[in-house]
Amino acid sequence: MTGTPTHCPYCALQCGMTLTPGDGPPAVAAREDVPANRGGLCQKGWTAADLLGVPDRLTTPLARPRRDAPLEPCTWDEALDRVAAGVSRLRAAHGPDAVAVFGGGGLTNEKAYQLGKFARIGLGTSQIDYNGRFCMSSAAAASLRAFGMDRGLPGPITDLGRSDAVLLVGGNPAETMPPFMRHLADLRGRGGALIVVDPRRTATARAADLHLRPLPGTDLALANGLLHLAIAEGLVDEAYVASRTTGFEAVRTVVNAYWPGRVERITGVPEPQLREAVRLLAGGERAHILTGRGGEQHAKGVDTVSAFVNLALALGLPGREGSGYGCVTGQGNGQGGREHGQKADQLPGYRRIDDPAARAHVAAVWGVDPDVLPGPGRSAYELLSALGTPDGPKALLLFGSNPVVSAPRAAAVADRLDALDLLVVADFVPSETARRADVVLPTAQWAEESGTMTNLEGRVLRRRRAVPPPDGVRTDLEIVAGLAGRLGAPGKWSTDPAEVFEELRAASAGGPADYAGISYERIEREGGVFWPCPDEDHPGTPRPYLDRFPTPDGRARFVPVEHRGPAEDVDGRYPVYLTTGRVLAQYQSGAQTRRIPALADAAPGPFVELHPDLAGRLGIEDGADVRLSTRRGSATVRARLTGDIRDDTVFVPFHWPGEGSANLLTNPALDPVSRMPEFKVCAVRLEPAGTSEARAGECGEDAS
Ligand SMILES: Nc1nc2c(c(=O)[nH]1)N[C@H]1C(S)=C(S)[C@@H](COP(=O)(O)OP(=O)(O)OC[C@H]3O[C@@H](n4cnc5c(=O)[nH]c(N)nc54)[C@H](O)[C@@H]3O)O[C@H]1N2
Ligand SMILES: Nc1nc2c(c(=O)[nH]1)N[C@H]1C(S)=C(S)[C@@H](COP(=O)(O)OP(=O)(O)OC[C@H]3O[C@@H](n4cnc5c(=O)[nH]c(N)nc54)[C@H](O)[C@@H]3O)O[C@H]1N2
Ligand code: SF4
Ligand SMILES: [Mo]
């Protein structure tokens, strides 16, 4: 193997690649030695190095002399002094919670850890959260309440290929993680069955043995209906339920009312398909139930995931080797990003910030009194919508997210950002959010830094530096250390990722996400280590639940859950369901991928996928501009007619800013437990752009 072995900067599959410097961007090659991708990469991975030298790469700090003046280049000292002075002034005037921090699931473990520590003891603020709240927080909360622990997949990804059946709910890995499909191909090659649940016939659904096409937001009823059938057909693993779980009777009572005819009426999935799904899922020795964002990004996302976990438990899957429930996580470090303290209610090691023992442990590692640690803060959307309000933060430091494009009801979020006294953004490109900042700090990219990432399997991997960052650019760790020093923060603020990792190990020791036994050397030697790994002699934990669940009594918990409708249902004025998601060639807010020519050519702009029958009723032609309106706002995008979607539902990807931005439309209704917004269903009206109705809508009479 030549070149520097590392991993892709984008999604949670963390495909292995090597980088070989040359003229221009380093050459990317796919690694064969990483089980997740086994020599494959998607188009985003192949072109990832092109972002290193994009023409508008940020290479100098920028600051606005006044709130209404344009951003101008400045020195690092000027930029960091400006931030430190602003923070100190606002803290003195309004208290420590006047300053907020927003992080990202793409940050390495070391950066996420240091950012959480900086918020708690550098700024003394409780106001920190991150974009992972928008990602897998519902699956995390449901896993915690069932298993006492939250880790993406229940075992190595290669277990999927050896399974007899996989039920995938609301995930489209053919576009969102293409090399993941190799594992599903292995499954089918061995005669196993793939069942996909998605309102659209996606590329993933086309590769399935059975495709269930429910109405958006009805997966909970579907899951209860499948469990009803499993019970009726005697497929429950009674011995497992008796020895390894608690609470089944309450769930049995609830699902009794989800008979197939009723479930067909709620979901639109025909009864024979429900029966076929149960038959396939329970037909073999080993099976997996997996959820993606389609099932999770709902105001009842946690209960929906619980309903599928209940089904998995009744079939005896979790804790059986090569079987289980899993969440197909999202961002590069979606796993580690939620384990080490950038979430409002967490300390490193997946500890709870309101647990006195956890506070004492972490405070000792940080060299502070536990009493100085703040309590839990606001969740991501609640934090963003409090910015600049009388009781809310007056300053925001943002690392690794672009909420102007990716937050729900994004126009209102942009207004909140504009109401701040001080917005500071660290990024390597001028994202839509960075362009609104008072101070912009240019940071290093993945190929220019080292650290660790935890992939969707829970395997901790090494990110390695292959090229130096351009002149004028600092790493996120250097930025945090520069600010901590200026603010007189207690404790150590290393800029060396290896040193920060050593501290993270100590801080996580004894917690649920225990990294104490993981070292850079071990990761190199073993090709990654699965957490929890409490000491250096511990082999790591590829399959956590084989003997017992990490709950007080060692048993998994059933949770009875009932179906209810979406937070906003269709009506005469907004008669169609809107759902949102992704396409292959763009990543998230598009800040990175829209700048890469090959990807911009492959997916140049926003569109709405709609059924020809619906388009016909509305007088919308293929390729025409369509105006979409919801109670939050309007967007104009290109029509893409396809028979692959239900005729009562339309789909818009969220990768673009401006007038075609999906998040001008989305509903920020939050799940009561996870605080996940309802990205995946709301009520919309469509009309050809430029008609009188569409123009009337532009007056915003529905804005509420
Ligand atoms: N190309 C690309 N890849 C990515 C990303 C990206 O932005 N672009 N982002 C990464 C990240 S952070 C994440 S979180 C993952 C997300 O990966 P996925 O979960 O696969 O992505 P989505 O497209 O958001 O949603 C998946 C599917 O859910 C379906 N869906 C919508 N509403 C419902 C519903 O109510 N029920 C059901 N059952 N299905 C529904 C949609 O039609 C869609 O096909 O992808 C990662 N990989
Ligand atoms: N409508 C709708 N909205 C959604 C979703 C949906 O399905 N539908 N999905 C949601 C989900 S699952 C997610 S994960 C979010 C993601 O949405 P965002 O949080 O906006 O994610 P990105 O676009 O990846 O933004 C990352 C930003 O940080 C920068 N960046 C990347 N790496 C680093 C780093 O190491 N350090 C620093 N300082 N900056 C970095 C990038 O250049 C980019 O500008 O979107 C959510 N929004
Ligand atoms: S699937 Fe994900 S990790 Fe793999 S190359 Fe594509 S974006 Fe990168
Ligand atoms: Mo995500």
Side-chain angles (χ1 to χ4, degrees), residues 61-289:
L62 306 170
R64 254 177 243 286
R66 296 181 318 280
R67 200 78 243 264
D68 55 351
L71 283 164
E72 287 174 11
C74 63
T75 67
W76 274 100
D77 277 339
E78 285 165 351
L80 295 176
D81 287 348
R82 165 88 180 270
V83 177
V87 162
S88 302
R89 180 175 53 80
L90 291 165
R91 236 176 15 179
H94 306 282
D97 280 354
V99 182
V101 176
F102 199 87
L107 303 178
T108 59
N109 289 313
E110 291 78 359
K111 298 197 271 189
Y113 168 81
Q114 202 78 326
L115 198 61
K117 174 180 167 186
F118 176 66
R120 272 56 175 253
I121 65 168
L123 299 168
T125 182
S126 68
Q127 302 295 297
I128 174 169
D129 212 50
Y130 79 123
N131 67 6
R133 189 72 78 160
F134 299 158
C135 190
M136 30 12 60
S137 63
S138 289
S143 294
L144 272 178
R145 72 186 184 188
F147 309 129
M149 178 171 142
D150 152 40
R151 215 189 64 180
L153 294 182
I157 192 165
T158 43
D159 279 0
L160 297 175
R162 301 195 196 104
S163 201
D164 297 312
V166 170
L167 171 67
L168 173 59
V169 183
N172 182 18
E175 295 205 60
T176 54
M177 293 186 183
F180 186 99
M181 295 303 283
R182 298 177 168 211
H183 303 283
L184 299 180
D186 286 353
L187 161 93
R188 299 198 63 228
R190 288 182 47 264
L194 174 64
I195 309 151
V196 170
V197 183
D198 196 307
R200 304 187 298 140
R201 186 163 56 231
T202 58
T204 312
R206 264 183 247 125
D209 299 274
L210 177 65
H211 173 206
L212 310 183
R213 231 204 270 206
L215 191 67
T218 63
D219 301 276
L220 199 169
L222 180 80
N224 279 357
L226 297 177
L227 181 50
H228 176 107
L229 283 171
I231 293 170
E233 290 174 23
L235 297 168
V236 172
D237 185 339
E238 301 285 357
Y240 170 98
V241 168
S243 63
R244 300 216 51 191
T245 71
T246 56
F248 183 52
E249 282 318 310
V251 169
R252 191 198 294 268
T253 305
V254 164
V255 303
N256 201 17
Y258 290 77
W259 59 91
R262 178 177 173 223
V263 172
E264 174 172 336
R265 275 196 303 283
I266 298 173
T267 62
V269 177
E271 186 174 330
Q273 290 189 2
L274 298 172
R275 292 186 186 279
E276 176 70 358
V278 172
R279 196 187 61 76
L280 290 174
L281 190 62
E285 266 301 295
R286 298 169 166 190
H288 285 83
I289 298 180

Side-chain angles (χ1 to χ4, degrees), residues 134-135 293 330-331 582 588:
F134 299 158
C135 190
R293 299 307 82 74
Q331 300 177 84
R582 296 162 165 80
Q588 315 276 57

Side-chain angles (χ1 to χ4, degrees), residues 51 402 405-406 429 432 586-596 654-657:
L51 194 71
N402 187 14
V405 180
S406 58
V429 291
E432 287 68 24
Q586 295 290 350
Y587 189 69
Q588 315 276 57
S589 73
Q592 299 173 79
T593 45
R594 280 183 274 117
R595 290 183 156 77
I596 294 177
F654 77 101
H655 309 295
W656 292 274

Side-chain angles (χ1 to χ4, degrees), residues 180-459:
F180 186 99
M181 295 303 283
R182 298 177 168 211
H183 303 283
L184 299 180
D186 286 353
L187 161 93
R188 299 198 63 228
R190 288 182 47 264
L194 174 64
I195 309 151
V196 170
V197 183
D198 196 307
R200 304 187 298 140
R201 186 163 56 231
T202 58
T204 312
R206 264 183 247 125
D209 299 274
L210 177 65
H211 173 206
L212 310 183
R213 231 204 270 206
L215 191 67
T218 63
D219 301 276
L220 199 169
L222 180 80
N224 279 357
L226 297 177
L227 181 50
H228 176 107
L229 283 171
I231 293 170
E233 290 174 23
L235 297 168
V236 172
D237 185 339
E238 301 285 357
Y240 170 98
V241 168
S243 63
R244 300 216 51 191
T245 71
T246 56
F248 183 52
E249 282 318 310
V251 169
R252 191 198 294 268
T253 305
V254 164
V255 303
N256 201 17
Y258 290 77
W259 59 91
R262 178 177 173 223
V263 172
E264 174 172 336
R265 275 196 303 283
I266 298 173
T267 62
V269 177
E271 186 174 330
Q273 290 189 2
L274 298 172
R275 292 186 186 279
E276 176 70 358
V278 172
R279 196 187 61 76
L280 290 174
L281 190 62
E285 266 301 295
R286 298 169 166 190
H288 285 83
I289 298 180
L290 304 178
T291 57
R293 299 307 82 74
E296 301 166 10
Q297 288 174 323
H298 292 274
K300 55 174 179 296
V302 180
D303 283 355
T304 300
V305 175
S306 283
F308 284 101
V309 171
N310 289 341
L311 177 62
L313 289 171
L315 296 176
L317 305 179
R320 192 198 295 166
E321 183 167 340
S323 294
Y325 161 77
C327 155
V328 185
T329 57
Q331 300 177 84
N333 195 26
Q335 269 288 307
R338 70 185 188 259
E339 294 157 11
H340 299 299
Q342 56 175 339
K343 193 158 170 266
D345 53 1
Q346 265 177 22
L347 289 173
Y350 221 124
R351 291 183 151 95
R352 292 187 58 96
I353 202 165
D354 56 8
D355 168 6
R359 294 168 67 86
H361 174 86
V362 174
V365 174
W366 289 349
V368 298
D369 188 300
D371 291 340
V372 309
L373 301 182
R378 295 177 168 95
S379 76
Y381 181 74
E382 290 163 296
L383 177 59
L384 293 172
S385 44
L387 298 175
T389 62
D391 300 328
K394 313 284 183 262
L396 177 69
L397 314 186
L398 188 140
F399 290 74
S401 182
N402 187 14
V404 167
V405 180
S406 58
R409 200 181 190 182
V413 167
D415 287 346
R416 294 326 319 150
L417 294 170
D418 290 348
L420 288 167
D421 288 303
L422 178 65
L423 174 61
V424 181
V425 175
D427 207 315
F428 28 75
V429 291
S431 72
E432 287 68 24
T433 308
R435 281 195 223 137
R436 296 182 116 90
D438 301 288
V439 181
V440 178
L441 305 170
T443 190
Q445 289 193 36
W446 104 110
E448 302 158 352
E449 62 173 17
S450 68
T452 58
M453 305 282 280
T454 307
N455 76 355
L456 78 171
E457 307 168 278
R459 198 194 300 250

